[in-house]
Amino acid sequence: MIIEKEEIYILLNEYYLRGINEITVGYPPFEVNLFTLNLDNFKIGDIISARDLNSIKRKYARTDFLRRDLPDYHDLLDSFLSSGILPFENEEEIRNNFRLLNESIKDRTIYAKPVFLGIDTNMAYYRVISRRVKDSFKYVLSEIVIEEVDARIHSKYSGKMIHELEELPYHSVMYEFVNGSTKDCRRAKNAMNEIYHLLNVKDAFRVGKRSENRDKEVRDREIIEEYKNFSDAIRAEVVVLTADKDMVFHAQAQQLSCIYYKLPHKMEVDKIDPLHLPPLLYDLTLNFGVISLNNTILLGEWRGKEAEDYFQERLKIYNVDRETAKDINACRGASNEFS
């Protein structure tokens, strides 16, 4: 059964109505639990350590393909980060920067020019604008950023790859991945949703052109140059958001302001806002390909998955039971009635 990510609430509510108030989130191909979620207080607990998860991966990742595609601790951490649950290491500094930016925009003696936010490529992967920035800003988007995300959307699972995946525990589900997107490709499609959000919801200006250069540092400087050229062309201030320390220096060299997001290296999560659950479980399922919520299996990739399923951020319940399906359909009917 294909569901919207917000319909995860119905699935969790079904467990709660059955008297099950703790959900164990796992990765079936490793036969391992990743963390627990308490439905009474929305506390996250028993998070697997980096050492344990990466050790299990080394046990199963016997080929180059499996070493690239099987998830590791960074994929778990990134899911908590992109969902908006895990704070950046300098979160207080980021908030202060945005507070000062808003005050400066209101005080026309500080910023006489219009202010635009521009993002580095990593900001698209961490879904910063759609899931963290709540204030109203104008946006500008480099064509090179779009290109860097788009260039990663190309890899599909081959028959040989599927055969290697079928060597893992819980291999029966792997046939769903036939001709589906590999992990890097799925992550890029999630980042592309952030691009669409900027262009279609935030009406970001699309500037510059694609780069012929393959060198990362050169491309980073070109991104900054595109934002600088836009700034000069329309007499605007551009503030660049990035998680790359070197990009801060490139921006300063072009006299552009920058807000730096320092990446965390460990999980410090306790009680979470339940509104963050759908993006967390969606991103986790996408990054891992398949996860379990107690006995329920969620797929981030499946046979017949369409581009629209990515745009609408849908998942598939692999083994939906009758009562859960009935509740989901009832909620859909009620939602359609009201709309």
Side-chain angles (χ1 to χ4, degrees), residues 19-294:
I20 301 171
N21 66 349
E22 185 166 277
I23 301 295
T24 298
V25 181
Y27 181 56
F30 286 175
E31 298 181 311
V32 66
N33 296 333
L34 301 175
F35 59 89
T36 58
L37 167 67
N38 189 298
L39 297 179
D40 286 321
N41 53 25
F42 294 100
K43 281 193 172 185
I44 298 288
D46 302 317
I47 301 174
I48 191 170
S49 69
R51 179 179 179 180
D52 287 346
L53 183 55
N54 291 340
S55 175
I56 295 170
K57 176 179 177 176
R58 285 193 294 271
K59 173 184 175 183
Y60 291 110
R62 301 187 182 94
T63 66
D64 288 340
F65 159 67
L66 291 177
R67 281 189 283 273
R68 290 193 310 271
D69 200 70
L70 290 178
D72 56 25
Y73 188 77
H74 285 295
D75 295 309
L76 179 64
L77 188 147
D78 283 354
S79 300
F80 276 88
L81 194 60
S82 61
S83 66
I85 291 174
L86 184 65
F88 286 88
E89 197 166 303
N90 61 333
E91 192 72 34
E92 186 174 347
E93 177 186 336
I94 293 168
R95 288 174 182 165
N96 285 335
N97 282 332
F98 272 101
R99 179 179 57 80
L100 292 172
L101 182 60
N102 276 304
E103 291 174 358
S104 300
I105 291 173
K106 292 175 183 176
D107 185 349
R108 302 298 293 178
T109 63
I110 299 176
Y111 275 142
K113 302 176 184 178
V115 177
F116 288 78
L117 298 185
I119 68 164
D120 188 9
T121 307
N122 46 47
M123 293 289 97
Y125 278 87
Y126 295 126
R127 303 296 303 267
V128 166
I129 302 302
S130 65
R131 295 177 179 174
R132 291 182 186 263
V133 179
K134 304 303 180 184
D135 302 296
S136 296
F137 290 101
K138 298 181 178 70
Y139 292 91
V140 57
L141 185 59
S142 162
E143 190 70 36
I144 297 173
V145 170
I146 301 173
E147 176 195 8
E148 288 186 343
V149 175
D150 184 54
R152 304 301 294 269
I153 303 175
H154 62 82
S155 300
K156 291 182 178 294
Y157 288 112
S158 66
K160 182 177 182 296
M161 291 173 179
I162 296 297
H163 178 71
E164 291 183 26
L165 289 173
E166 287 177 339
E167 297 296 317
L168 301 170
Y170 204 82
H171 59 270
S172 59
V173 74
M174 294 307 177
Y175 79 95
E176 290 275 4
F177 285 40
V178 171
N179 206 37
S181 299
T182 61
K183 181 178 74 173
D184 283 350
C185 184
R186 296 193 302 268
R187 287 171 55 85
K189 288 180 177 181
N190 198 17
M192 188 57 76
N193 269 5
E194 190 75 354
I195 301 293
Y196 291 144
H197 177 81
L198 278 163
L199 294 175
N200 300 326
V201 178
K202 296 298 185 180
D203 295 322
F205 283 83
R206 189 169 179 168
V207 299
K209 61 182 180 180
R210 297 201 167 202
S211 174
E212 299 299 323
N213 204 297
R214 298 294 98 189
D215 184 272
K216 179 187 181 302
E217 288 305 315
V218 172
R219 292 170 68 87
D220 285 349
R221 288 195 294 271
E222 288 176 341
I223 290 171
I224 294 298
E225 287 171 5
E226 290 184 345
Y227 288 144
K228 175 62 174 175
N229 291 338
F230 173 81
S231 171
D232 293 341
I234 72 165
R235 295 181 56 80
E237 300 283 349
V238 175
V239 179
V240 181
L241 311 186
T242 182
D244 183 347
K245 193 67 175 178
D246 287 343
M247 283 292 279
V248 178
F249 292 101
H250 296 323
Q252 289 174 343
Q254 293 289 347
Q255 297 183 310
L256 295 181
S257 299
C258 198
I259 297 179
Y260 172 59
Y261 288 72
K262 189 174 183 180
L263 297 177
H265 298 289
K266 58 183 179 179
M267 298 274 284
E268 294 182 349
V269 178
D270 185 24
K271 188 174 182 179
I272 68 171
D273 184 338
L275 292 178
H276 287 144
L277 274 175
L280 169 64
L281 295 177
Y282 175 78
D283 287 3
L284 187 68
T285 309
L286 214 62
N287 291 343
F288 279 64
V290 52
I291 67 167
S292 59
L293 305 182
N294 288 359

Side-chain angles (χ1 to χ4, degrees), residues 170 173-174 176-177 285-286 289-291 297-303 305 314-318:
Y170 204 82
V173 74
M174 294 307 177
E176 290 275 4
F177 285 40
T285 309
L286 214 62
V290 52
I291 67 167
I297 303 298
L298 294 181
L299 299 178
E301 192 67 35
W302 61 87
R303 294 172 71 95
K305 185 173 184 179
R314 293 173 180 146
L315 300 170
K316 180 177 180 177
I317 304 179
Y318 177 69

